[in-house]
């Protein structure tokens, strides 16, 4: 049973997103069907007119041109991808290979060290290669090719850019970005090794790229128009490596809590005034920080009235959350809906009923400042790739280190907001929504 709960909690965000997308796609399919029927009826009423014949000829000509351009791009990309893969054939053949069940469904994979070796070879030969890492985010090497490409695009000049990513299977993902006659396209090729140790194309795609942009921080976003649904589906290519110290700080203090399903970093508060911070929504996050495991609630009582919740024993609730804040027991209990008769706290697991859909948000520490009182403050940019921004908003988190090796969050202050709507800050529990934590 524990495995089932763990799987649910880890996949809950994806479930919410997918269910949302499915509803949108269903609506779009219905609209598309209605549109096709309407066009067909209009075509039947005018099928004998000369103007329709001319239109048909024009459309056929445009389609032939498009298909020709598509085929040319795919053939070029396939040829280049096979040529590039062949450059490291000896490395691949001599590399130790294992079978990965966890991520690749039993596929044969190579080690990260071998991936690094292949990336270095291709980088040294001048290719724009995605530098991957098992810990830190990947980024593009030899970015001078990208900036030449981007300058041409900005000047409305035809240009091409090759980007190569080495897969764990030892093949490559080859991307050809093209800008010609004011239109942008991306050709994607997947290459892997066959049983005879020869590179072979396994997949080819040619797509229109209707949006791409370069941020002030040096992040390149592009979007494929393949879905056309509100889930934006932007893809990020970093043009420089992250600051490893700043990334490690985010991984320790920001990422474990995050921005969705709790309001710790999307609302303002401090240890003298906790504002609208909901401690109840932090249980599962700090439980994992403390125990390096997911919180399993099946052993605790479900209550349906006056609202649905799960009763969490006070000792567990307080020992899990309170050490991370400078707060008295009395205030903590007042703010967290403590039930003195049951000696428990109400808690709701994340579900579609208490969470408003919002794309994934990641915190990136951009500054670390030591304060005179022994605390330190992290300046954090909230990144949302689905909204094509590396600065959705900025907030400052002040933290105090404790002598026992622990730490406490002392405040969160929002210092910048973009034009995009912030992630929701509404607590899950109905009484906290109604009372607004007052």
């Amino acid at each position: 049973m524990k495995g089932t709960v763990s799987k649910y909690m880890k996949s809950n965000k994806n479930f919410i997103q997918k269910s949302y997308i499915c509803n949108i796609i269903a609506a779009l399919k219905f609209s598309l069907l209605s549109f096709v029927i309407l066009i067909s009826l209009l075509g039947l009423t005018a099928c004998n007119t000369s103007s329709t014949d001319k239109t048909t000829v024009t459309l056929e000509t445009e389609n032939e041109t498009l298909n020709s351009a598509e085929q040319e791009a795919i053939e070029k990309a396939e040829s280049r991808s096979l040529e590039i893969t062949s450059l490291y054939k000896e490395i691949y053949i001599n590399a130790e290979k294992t079978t990965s069940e966890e991520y690749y469904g039993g596929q044969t994979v190579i080690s990260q060290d071998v991936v690094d070796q292949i990336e270095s070879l291709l980088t040294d030969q001048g290719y724009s290669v995605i530098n991957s890492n098992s810990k830190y985010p990947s980024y593009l090497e030899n970015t001078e090719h990208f900036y030449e490409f981007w300058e041409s695009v900005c000047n409305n000049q035809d240009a091409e850019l090759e980007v190569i990513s080495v897969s764990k299977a030892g093949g490559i993902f080859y991307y050809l970005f093209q800008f010609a006659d004011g239109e942008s396209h991306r050709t994607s090729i997947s290459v892997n090794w066959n049983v005879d140790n020869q590179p072979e194309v396994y997949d080819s795609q040619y797509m229109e790229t209707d949006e791409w942009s370069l941020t002030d921080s040096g992040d390149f976003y592009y979007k494929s128009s393949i879905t056309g649904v509100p889930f934006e589906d932007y893809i990020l290519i970093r043009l420089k490596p992250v600051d490893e110290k700043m990334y490690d700080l985010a991984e320790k203090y920001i990422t474990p809590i995050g921005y969705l399903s709790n309001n710790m970093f999307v609302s303002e508060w401090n240890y003298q005034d906790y504002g609208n911070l909901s401690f109840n929504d932090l249980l599962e996050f700090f439980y994992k920080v403390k125990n390096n495991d997911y919180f399993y609630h099946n052993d605790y009582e479900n209550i349906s009235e006056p609202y649905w919740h799960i009763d969490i024993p006070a000792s567990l609730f307080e020992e899990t959350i309170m050490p991370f804040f400078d707060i008295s027991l009395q205030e903590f209990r007042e703010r967290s809906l403590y039930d003195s008769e049951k000696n428990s706290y109400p808690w709701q697991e994340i579900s579609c009923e208490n969470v408003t859909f919002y794309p994934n948000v990641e915190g990136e520490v951009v500054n670390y400042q030591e304060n005179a009182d022994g605390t330190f403050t992290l300046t954090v940019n909230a990144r949302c790739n689905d909204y094509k921004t590396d600065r959705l908003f900025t907030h400052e988190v002040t933290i105090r280190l404790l002598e026992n090796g622990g730490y406490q969050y002392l405040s969160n202050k929002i210092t910048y907001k973009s034009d995009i709507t912030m992630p929701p800050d509404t607590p899950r529990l109905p009484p906290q929504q109604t009372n607004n934590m007052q």
Side-chain angles (χ1 to χ4, degrees):
M1 182 59 69
K2 286 187 176 183
T4 302
V5 176
S6 174
K7 181 178 180 182
Y8 166 77
M9 293 188 69
K10 286 186 286 186
S11 64
N12 183 70
K13 178 177 71 67
N14 290 333
F15 168 76
I16 296 172
Q17 292 178 346
K18 288 178 180 177
S19 63
Y20 176 83
I21 295 171
C22 288
N23 290 337
I24 296 297
I25 291 177
L28 286 174
K29 285 182 177 178
F30 178 80
S31 299
L32 179 59
L33 178 61
S34 301
F35 177 77
V36 170
I37 293 174
L38 176 62
I39 293 299
S40 300
L41 292 173
L42 291 174
L44 288 173
T45 60
C47 61
N48 293 325
T49 63
S50 59
S51 60
T52 302
D53 295 336
K54 291 180 180 179
T55 301
T56 302
V57 172
T58 302
L59 288 174
E60 289 176 352
T61 303
E62 289 178 352
N63 288 334
E64 289 174 1
T65 302
L66 176 60
N67 292 336
S68 174
E70 177 179 345
Q71 188 62 33
E72 181 180 344
I74 290 177
E75 290 177 356
K76 177 179 181 177
E78 288 182 348
S79 175
R80 287 288 290 158
S81 63
L82 291 172
E83 175 186 337
I84 293 168
T85 309
S86 298
L87 295 175
Y88 62 86
K89 180 177 181 179
E90 184 176 350
I91 295 177
Y92 174 79
I93 291 177
N94 295 328
E96 181 180 355
K97 302 171 185 68
T98 58
T99 300
S100 175
E101 297 290 346
E102 183 176 0
Y103 298 110
Y104 297 92
Q107 187 175 11
T108 299
V109 298
I110 57 178
S111 68
Q112 183 62 42
D113 288 340
V114 176
V115 171
D116 293 341
Q117 187 179 354
I118 295 171
E119 290 173 351
S120 296
L121 182 149
L122 298 178
T123 300
D124 291 343
Q125 295 199 23
Y127 292 101
S128 294
V129 179
I130 299 291
N131 186 321
S132 64
N133 189 295
S134 57
K135 180 178 180 181
Y136 298 104
S138 59
Y139 64 96
L140 189 66
E141 298 264 28
N142 292 332
T143 54
E144 63 272 14
H145 302 310
F146 170 82
Y147 287 109
E148 291 172 0
F149 166 80
W150 191 247
E151 182 178 3
S152 296
V153 171
C154 292
N155 291 324
N156 203 32
Q157 298 173 349
D158 292 359
E160 292 185 348
L161 172 70
E162 291 180 320
V163 174
I164 298 135
S165 175
V166 180
S167 73
K168 286 290 289 182
I172 67 169
F173 298 107
Y174 172 93
Y175 304 98
L176 177 63
F177 295 89
Q178 295 176 303
F179 182 76
D181 299 326
E183 296 184 354
S184 53
H185 296 90
R186 173 174 58 89
T187 306
S188 304
I189 307 295
S190 174
V191 177
N192 212 337
W193 299 89
N194 61 25
V195 293
D196 298 321
N197 283 330
Q198 297 297 323
E200 185 175 316
V201 173
Y202 280 78
D203 186 50
S204 303
Q205 292 184 343
Y206 177 85
M207 306 177 187
E208 179 183 354
T209 305
D210 59 1
E211 286 186 44
W212 52 18
S213 64
L214 179 64
T215 70
D216 294 337
S217 300
D219 291 324
F220 176 59
Y221 284 103
Y222 67 91
K223 176 190 175 186
S224 168
S225 60
I226 190 171
T227 59
V229 299
F231 194 79
E232 298 295 350
D233 196 29
Y234 285 103
I235 298 174
L236 164 68
I237 296 181
R238 295 176 186 266
L239 301 182
K240 59 184 178 182
V242 298
D243 184 308
E244 294 184 1
K245 177 183 176 181
M246 298 295 147
Y247 185 85
D248 290 341
L249 287 169
E251 285 295 288
K252 181 171 184 177
Y253 298 111
I254 307 299
T255 303
I257 310 303
Y259 299 89
L260 305 181
S261 307
N262 74 83
N263 63 6
M264 182 166 164
F265 295 138
V266 296
S267 62
E268 291 196 343
W269 54 268
N270 60 64
Y271 70 96
Q272 295 175 323
D273 179 6
Y274 281 99
N276 293 332
L277 177 61
S278 171
F279 293 106
N280 301 73
D281 293 346
L282 297 173
L283 175 63
E284 63 267 53
F285 301 102
F286 281 118
Y287 185 93
K288 191 170 190 303
V289 170
K290 182 179 179 180
N291 301 287
N292 194 30
D293 195 8
Y294 293 93
F295 177 66
Y296 307 108
H297 59 78
N298 287 333
D299 295 334
Y300 307 110
E301 184 179 4
N302 278 265
I303 307 297
S304 59
E305 297 295 339
Y307 59 92
W308 173 80
H309 66 275
I310 298 173
D311 271 346
I312 306 299
S315 58
L316 171 63
F317 193 87
E318 293 165 359
E319 291 170 6
T320 300
I321 302 173
M322 283 189 64
F324 293 96
F325 296 92
D326 184 359
I327 188 171
S328 68
L329 178 59
Q330 179 181 351
E331 182 181 1
F332 183 81
R333 288 182 169 181
E334 290 175 354
R335 288 184 162 273
S336 305
L337 306 176
Y338 172 68
D339 187 332
S340 58
E341 293 183 3
K342 294 183 176 181
N343 193 28
S344 66
Y345 292 85
W347 173 80
Q348 285 186 354
E349 66 174 330
I350 299 170
S351 68
C352 293
E353 286 72 30
N354 59 26
V355 173
T356 303
F357 168 79
Y358 199 93
N360 189 43
V361 178
E362 306 168 20
E364 296 189 338
V365 175
V366 295
N367 188 58
Y368 168 87
Q369 175 183 311
E370 294 184 352
N371 304 317
D373 60 0
T375 65
F376 63 89
T377 299
L378 304 178
T379 302
V380 188
N381 284 344
R383 170 194 294 277
C384 184
N385 292 336
D386 294 315
Y387 284 145
K388 195 179 58 172
T389 178
D390 47 26
R391 197 183 181 198
L392 179 68
F393 66 96
T394 301
H395 61 112
E396 294 179 348
V397 183
T398 299
I399 300 169
R400 175 196 293 138
L401 297 179
L402 304 177
E403 293 182 358
N404 63 5
Y407 53 91
Q408 291 181 331
Y409 294 90
L410 300 181
S411 68
N412 183 67
K413 181 181 180 181
I414 298 174
T415 59
Y416 165 81
K417 294 181 181 180
S418 69
D419 294 334
I420 303 172
T421 302
M422 291 268 293
D425 63 354
T426 305
R428 296 179 221 164
L429 294 170
Q432 293 181 338
Q433 298 172 7
T434 303
N435 298 333
N436 198 28
M437 300 296 294
Q438 297 300 320

